[in-house]
Amino acid sequence: QVQLVESGGGLVQPGGSLTLSCVMDASGTIFNVDAMYWYRQGAGEEREMVASITSSGSAFYGWNTQGRFTISRDSTKNTVFLRMNSLKPEDTNVYYCNVEGYERGIYKRTFWGQGTQVTVSS
């Protein structure tokens, strides 16, 4: 089983910045990561992809975050980061970490973290 633990959420003023972190613990299995993602979801809304990064380091962004958010990864620590700049009130959401990959080289899996709340408000 793979566990993801997010941190770094909180309250920030409009125009401010936050960095989210997601640590992946795959110590109980053998898991090869294809890509890691950040999603966000507001109350009553569908989950939206914010950013992704592949195992080779290629990054992709949602249409409403490109240019303001940066995803990065420390493979040695199984950690993915989301640096969020120029935050807007509409960025207020619960942010979720997600990983896709293969367990024991055979089983395609996807795992989710528990989410971290980001609130942008003055």
Side-chain angles (χ1 to χ4, degrees):
Q1 187 74 1
V2 173
Q3 293 186 329
L4 301 173
V5 179
E6 301 104 330
S7 62
L11 174 64
V12 63
Q13 292 187 343
S17 299
L18 278 177
T19 298
L20 306 182
S21 300
C22 172
V23 179
M24 182 182 74
D25 181 2
S27 57
T29 187
I30 299 172
F31 189 75
N32 300 110
V33 175
D34 278 351
M36 298 188 76
Y37 301 79
W38 285 100
Y39 285 79
R40 65 187 184 185
Q41 186 172 24
E45 299 178 357
E46 292 188 359
R47 199 164 288 189
E48 171 190 27
M49 197 278 283
V50 174
S52 66
I53 187 164
T54 68
S55 57
S56 61
S58 297
F60 302 90
Y61 297 92
W63 66 273
N64 56 356
T65 58
Q66 191 161 10
R68 297 188 298 124
F69 291 8
T70 302
I71 189 170
S72 61
R73 182 179 169 189
D74 183 345
S75 298
T76 63
K77 298 180 180 179
N78 285 337
T79 303
V80 64
F81 304 95
L82 184 69
R83 174 65 176 179
M84 305 184 292
N85 295 325
S86 302
L87 283 162
K88 306 174 183 179
E90 51 263 43
D91 293 317
T92 296
N93 275 295
V94 179
Y95 285 72
Y96 296 90
C97 180
N98 170 274
V99 63
E100 292 184 350
Y102 285 86
E103 188 169 7
R104 286 176 277 171
I106 301 174
Y107 306 105
K108 188 167 178 64
R109 303 281 195 219
T110 185
F111 297 96
W112 292 90
Q114 81 288 352
T116 185
Q117 176 70 47
V118 172
T119 302
V120 185
S121 175
S122 55

